[in-house]
Amino acid sequence: GHAYETKLAFQIWSSNGRLLLRSRSGPATALAPLERGFGEATIGGEHWRTFALESARGDWFMTGESYAIRGEIARDIAFGTMLPMLISVPVTALLVWFIVGVGLRPLRQIALQVERLDPQRLAPVSSLAVPTEVLPLVNAINRLVTRLTGTLARERRFTADAAHELRTPLGALKVHVGNLVGTTSEVQRAESMARVQDGIVRMERLFTQLLLLGRAEAGAAAARMIEFDLVACVRDEIAVLAPQAVDREVELSLHACASAVQVHGNAIAVGVLVRNLLENAIRHAPVQGSVQVEIDVLDDATVEVRVSDSGDGIEENAHERVFERFHREQPGDDSGSGLGLSIVRVIADLHGATIRLERAELGGLCVVVHFPRGA
């Protein structure tokens, strides 16, 4: 029979306590007292779980189950439950490892491409066969690479231009120092000394402008944008440059639509912008000429700053060219570094301002800057 047959038993007892029927596995004695319900009994050293039920005629029906079968059933259930898990867990782990490996393969390829990027020649990361979920990361990396490429190109161009521009004043300074050391004439010595001093001043100005341009291009000037008074800023720069204007007998004037005009930006950077415009205007204005600064509020969103001089001005076809680095419209002019308007353009871009050049009513050049009032 069934494997469990010897561990299951039943008995039928009459109302007077006589055994009427039993299974072959059942003992000859009663499995349990003649009481309805569940019970436990130990027969022949074996522990049984029993159940007794009385019929309407008074006969008793008893069943019993050996506790050994319960242990076997529990083991069979546990083994039957655990075996699929023991088999499926390794299989599932292998599947997960394979699927994750295949899914992360594009990321590993992207990481390998990024690792192989040449700092001197950055190239975008290929987006071919890239999952949709990873595409935003690739696009962000490519945008970063594009910005870094532009930054490195500007740095290389800046270094090359700076080295080229510094070579000439350094050579001239070396010649003048040699003349100063080799001459015995007091007149030649004084002349060489004056040329050395002029060269040092020019070098100092060039280095200062280079530092300002580097900081402006790096965005340092835009780090802290606040509300400030543009009229006070311009007035302070005029006060700083007043001695320079007096030396050249140039009249400086300020015409503002109000005593205070608030704009959003970096006051130090805007001060540098105004200073460069004023220095250019003073330098190119004739002796006993004039430089005029005008501040006007065009509307709720725009403030206009106009810096005009009474010099010779610039031809219209050169208006855009003068914003290039180290460009001098008058090649023989050694008083400037060719960086003033480049710095002005960079600072204006940081503030979202626009610049245009036009003919001034004073006869020379007029630089018009439109500043946005809001952030």
Side-chain angles (χ1 to χ4, degrees), residues 240-250 278-280 282-283:
V240 171
L241 296 176
Q244 183 178 336
V246 171
D247 291 341
R248 290 185 54 84
E249 300 181 16
V250 173
L278 288 175
E279 286 181 343
N280 281 344
I282 294 171
R283 187 167 59 252

Side-chain angles (χ1 to χ4, degrees), residues 101-122:
V102 172
L104 293 180
R105 187 177 301 166
L107 284 178
R108 289 196 295 268
Q109 294 174 350
I110 293 171
L112 186 61
Q113 290 186 56
V114 173
E115 187 176 357
R116 289 178 177 176
L117 287 177
D118 185 359
Q120 302 302 321
R121 298 181 61 184
L122 294 175

Side-chain angles (χ1 to χ4, degrees), residues 79-345:
F79 185 75
T81 304
M82 294 298 296
L83 182 60
M85 295 181 62
L86 292 175
I87 296 175
S88 63
V89 167
V91 173
T92 304
L94 289 174
L95 287 175
V96 170
W97 175 79
F98 176 75
I99 294 172
V100 172
V102 172
L104 293 180
R105 187 177 301 166
L107 284 178
R108 289 196 295 268
Q109 294 174 350
I110 293 171
L112 186 61
Q113 290 186 56
V114 173
E115 187 176 357
R116 289 178 177 176
L117 287 177
D118 185 359
Q120 302 302 321
R121 298 181 61 184
L122 294 175
V125 177
S126 175
S127 59
L128 297 177
V130 173
T132 305
E133 296 80 4
V134 185
L135 193 58
L137 173 62
V138 175
N139 293 335
I141 292 175
N142 287 337
R143 288 193 295 270
L144 175 61
V145 168
T146 301
R147 292 196 296 270
L148 288 176
T149 301
T151 301
L152 291 175
R154 287 194 299 270
E155 292 296 332
R156 294 190 190 101
R157 186 173 66 251
F158 178 81
T159 302
D161 292 344
H164 175 75
E165 288 296 319
L166 289 173
R167 188 181 297 114
T168 300
L170 282 174
L173 192 61
K174 181 178 179 180
V175 171
H176 296 321
V177 170
N179 293 337
L180 179 63
V181 174
T183 185
T184 57
S185 171
E186 291 297 329
V187 176
Q188 293 180 353
R189 183 183 296 274
E191 182 180 356
S192 297
M193 179 62 72
R195 292 183 179 275
V196 168
Q197 291 176 344
D198 291 341
I200 292 174
V201 170
R202 182 186 174 192
M203 291 283 292
E204 181 183 10
R205 175 179 172 78
L206 180 58
F207 275 117
T208 301
Q209 296 290 74
L210 285 172
L211 289 174
L212 288 175
L213 180 61
R215 291 173 182 173
E217 287 192 332
R224 295 183 60 187
M225 297 289 191
I226 59 173
E227 294 285 337
F228 70 97
D229 184 3
L230 181 60
V231 176
C233 177
V234 173
R235 188 182 294 116
D236 291 341
E237 297 301 328
I238 290 177
V240 171
L241 296 176
Q244 183 178 336
V246 171
D247 291 341
R248 290 185 54 84
E249 300 181 16
V250 173
E251 179 185 0
L252 272 176
S253 61
L254 171 63
H255 302 277
C257 63
S259 59
V261 175
Q262 297 294 321
V263 296
H264 187 87
N266 186 281
I268 297 176
V270 174
V272 172
L273 179 147
V274 174
R275 188 186 316 150
N276 278 276
L277 292 179
L278 288 175
E279 286 181 343
N280 281 344
I282 294 171
R283 187 167 59 252
H284 292 97
V287 177
Q288 296 183 349
S290 59
V291 173
Q292 181 175 287
V293 183
E294 300 172 89
I295 302 176
D296 191 16
V297 178
L298 300 183
D299 50 48
D300 293 338
T302 308
V303 176
E304 182 181 78
V305 178
R306 304 171 65 91
V307 180
S308 309
D309 64 73
S310 58
D312 297 330
I314 299 175
E315 295 295 333
E316 186 174 352
N317 57 8
H319 282 182
E320 190 62 29
R321 191 167 60 244
V322 295
F323 289 101
E324 297 176 0
R325 292 176 177 178
F326 306 108
H327 174 80
R328 301 184 185 89
E329 193 60 25
Q330 300 175 359
D333 181 16
D334 291 338
S335 60
S337 62
L339 289 173
L341 289 179
S342 297
I343 296 172
V344 169
R345 168 64 64 82

Side-chain angles (χ1 to χ4, degrees), residues 44-103:
E46 189 173 2
H47 197 52
W48 292 77
R49 178 69 170 170
T50 64
F51 179 76
L53 182 64
E54 184 181 13
S55 68
R57 296 190 310 170
D59 296 332
W60 288 89
F61 297 87
M62 294 183 183
T63 61
E65 179 186 55
S66 173
Y67 266 93
I69 193 176
R70 291 194 168 198
E72 293 179 11
I73 293 174
R75 286 193 298 271
D76 290 344
I77 293 174
F79 185 75
T81 304
M82 294 298 296
L83 182 60
M85 295 181 62
L86 292 175
I87 296 175
S88 63
V89 167
V91 173
T92 304
L94 289 174
L95 287 175
V96 170
W97 175 79
F98 176 75
I99 294 172
V100 172
V102 172

